[in-house]
Amino acid sequence: MSYKLIINCLKFSSMAVLLLLLQVVHAQPRKKVVKEVGIASFESLDGLVQKNQKLLGNSFVAMVWTDTMVYKRELGDMDAKTVVPIASCSKWLTAAMVMKFVEEGRISLDDKISRYLPIFETYGKNYITIRHCLSHFTGIQNEGGFFNKKKFSSLQEEVESYAKKEIKTNPGTDFSYSPIGLNIAARILEIVGKKKFDMLIKQQLFNPLAMRKTTFSMLDGSAINPSGGAQSCAEEYMHFLQMLLNNGKYNGVQVLSEASVKELRTQQTRQEQIRFAPKAASGFNYALGSWVVEEGKDGIASVLSSPGLFGTWPMVDWCRGYACLFFTKTILSEQKKDAYMEMKNAIDEKLGSKCK
């Protein structure tokens, strides 16, 4: 046998062995991706999650975080990485971004908005403050409602249209839930920060929190909507909740100061001041960008939530030391609020209270 023939035989043999190995590899069953965490530990909660699956739109994600992920269940065609619109859950993100500017000394919550937006003084609205904006106390009439929102080409154009609207009540008097205040506050950040709001929040909040898929940017060229236009996924929004639960820290980095988190937890309303609120938030007071689910000592909320129109319901419970998130894409209703609160009670019973 010639040397060349031996070499060719060896090459053929090596190729045959490689093909056999590849066959064996492909024949191995694929490992099942385990999506569930802590199912056995949170048996009562898990029973309620499955019981409410149809009510919550069949596809949703439920998560509970303490100092690690202690419960996670993914149902239907959604998982923790599925990006969906989060509606008014956006308000909590925007309020946190405003607090970044406050702690840096660039603005104050009690600054009059006319300091940055002179058009409001022109139309006799020079007593509205940034705090009024974050707590829905601007007093500006919201005739359009939530479903008849006019399309604007920019946040600047939209906010300037608010200056021309009628004042319904004096600022700081009556609470009326609407997109107006949060969008005014975000426009002030654009003026001070000299960048569009979606870029500011990406650089200063989303990047430090590893929220790479979360965005306020609009693909259709319409105005950014800081009060309700964010898109996110359960995994990333939970990063934000973790940060709040840990008094501003995420992965050991102080993303927001403890003072800012305390300010976000400070109750701004009394029940008799609330003139308009969604039915799903009935009975709750309001802080800055979020609802007070449970009141704590000295006006500092022990539980906050910022539910969105499309059914997503995030909560942070400082008393019991956890954050939870029910992430979905169906219209929120009063019935769903009851289901979410029932599931929260199941978590409370499992974890107990750390507050005295």
Side-chain angles (χ1 to χ4, degrees):
M1 187 181 290
S2 71
Y3 177 79
K4 188 177 286 187
L5 186 59
I6 291 169
I7 293 297
N8 286 337
C9 285
L10 285 171
K11 283 181 179 178
F12 177 82
S13 299
S14 299
M15 183 63 72
V17 169
L18 181 60
L19 288 170
L20 283 170
L21 284 170
L22 286 171
Q23 271 191 322
V24 170
V25 169
H26 284 291
Q28 294 294 321
R30 289 185 179 181
K31 288 184 179 179
K32 184 182 177 183
V33 177
V34 179
K35 295 184 177 181
E36 292 79 23
V37 173
I39 303 304
S41 301
F42 285 80
E43 190 176 351
S44 176
L45 169 64
D46 195 58
L48 290 170
V49 166
Q50 294 185 74
K51 171 191 163 186
N52 290 314
Q53 182 176 2
K54 187 175 180 181
L55 173 67
L56 300 178
N58 290 313
S59 298
F60 74 100
V61 180
M63 304 169 79
V64 182
W65 177 278
T66 54
D67 53 358
T68 186
M69 190 70 69
V70 293
Y71 176 85
K72 180 170 80 169
R73 170 75 85 171
E74 299 167 320
L75 295 169
D77 63 2
M78 282 186 73
D79 62 33
K81 296 181 186 294
T82 303
V83 176
V84 296
I86 60 171
S88 282
C89 303
S90 308
K91 290 179 173 64
W92 214 350
L93 301 173
T94 296
M97 187 60 212
V98 172
M99 292 312 303
K100 284 288 293 179
F101 273 55
V102 171
E103 67 186 42
E104 291 168 3
R106 302 169 85 178
I107 61 173
S108 165
L109 286 179
D110 297 312
D111 282 347
K112 292 178 180 177
I113 63 172
S114 56
R115 175 178 175 181
Y116 309 96
L117 299 162
I119 190 171
F120 281 85
E121 186 168 11
T122 302
Y123 285 91
K125 298 179 179 67
N126 54 316
Y127 293 106
I128 300 170
T129 67
I130 296 173
R131 187 185 299 277
H132 291 146
C133 291
L134 296 188
S135 54
H136 304 284
F137 272 120
T138 65
I140 298 173
Q141 178 79 40
N142 182 37
E143 313 99 331
F146 290 95
F147 297 101
N148 300 311
K149 193 171 184 292
K150 181 183 173 183
K151 281 200 171 183
F152 293 91
S153 62
S154 68
L155 186 59
Q156 177 182 354
E157 182 188 355
E158 180 170 356
V159 167
E160 287 180 356
S161 78
Y162 297 156
K164 301 168 189 176
K165 286 182 180 288
E166 199 177 320
I167 279 279
K168 188 177 180 182
T169 61
N170 290 330
T173 306
D174 289 348
F175 174 100
S176 186
Y177 192 73
S178 81
I180 292 173
L182 274 292
N183 286 358
I184 292 172
R187 174 59 188 151
I188 289 171
L189 298 192
E190 288 190 335
I191 292 165
V192 176
K194 296 181 172 58
K195 288 181 183 175
K196 296 297 183 185
F197 176 77
D198 55 335
M199 291 303 298
L200 287 169
I201 198 165
K202 178 180 173 60
Q203 291 169 359
Q204 297 195 40
L205 194 65
F206 295 163
N207 285 348
L209 291 173
M211 297 173 71
R212 295 177 183 85
K213 295 180 179 180
T214 305
T215 183
F216 277 91
S217 299
M218 304 297 289
L219 296 176
D220 64 357
S222 59
I224 295 159
N225 180 9
S227 70
Q231 295 188 64
S232 190
C233 59
E235 181 178 77
E236 292 190 358
Y237 203 96
M238 182 56 83
H239 295 177
F240 174 70
L241 300 182
Q242 286 172 238
M243 180 271 292
L244 293 177
L245 178 64
N246 294 322
N247 293 315
K249 277 189 179 180
Y250 176 75
N251 278 353
V253 176
Q254 197 77 43
V255 177
L256 207 59
S257 72
E258 287 191 33
S260 289
V261 175
K262 185 178 180 182
E263 193 71 64
L264 287 171
R265 292 174 62 184
T266 302
Q267 185 173 310
Q268 304 293 320
T269 65
R270 302 185 306 276
Q271 274 298 299
E272 62 268 23
Q273 294 175 302
I274 297 179
R275 295 289 174 265
F276 172 74
K279 286 186 178 179
S282 177
F284 295 159
N285 272 302
Y286 204 77
L288 296 174
S290 64
W291 295 94
V292 177
V293 177
E294 287 183 20
E295 299 176 13
K297 293 180 179 179
D298 303 319
I300 307 299
S302 60
V303 182
L304 288 179
S305 178
S306 186
L309 176 64
F310 302 126
T312 291
W313 194 296
M315 278 184 276
V316 178
D317 188 326
W318 285 269
C319 258
R320 297 168 186 89
Y322 73 86
C324 68
L325 178 60
F326 303 103
F327 209 88
T328 184
K329 50 185 177 181
T330 57
I331 299 296
L332 185 59
S333 69
E334 207 164 357
Q335 189 182 6
K336 289 174 186 175
K337 172 196 173 183
D338 294 338
Y340 288 137
M341 296 311 294
E342 188 181 12
M343 290 189 283
K344 183 190 185 303
N345 288 338
I347 303 169
D348 293 352
E349 287 175 13
K350 175 69 180 177
L351 297 178
S353 178
K354 296 181 180 180
C355 292
K356 294 179 181 179

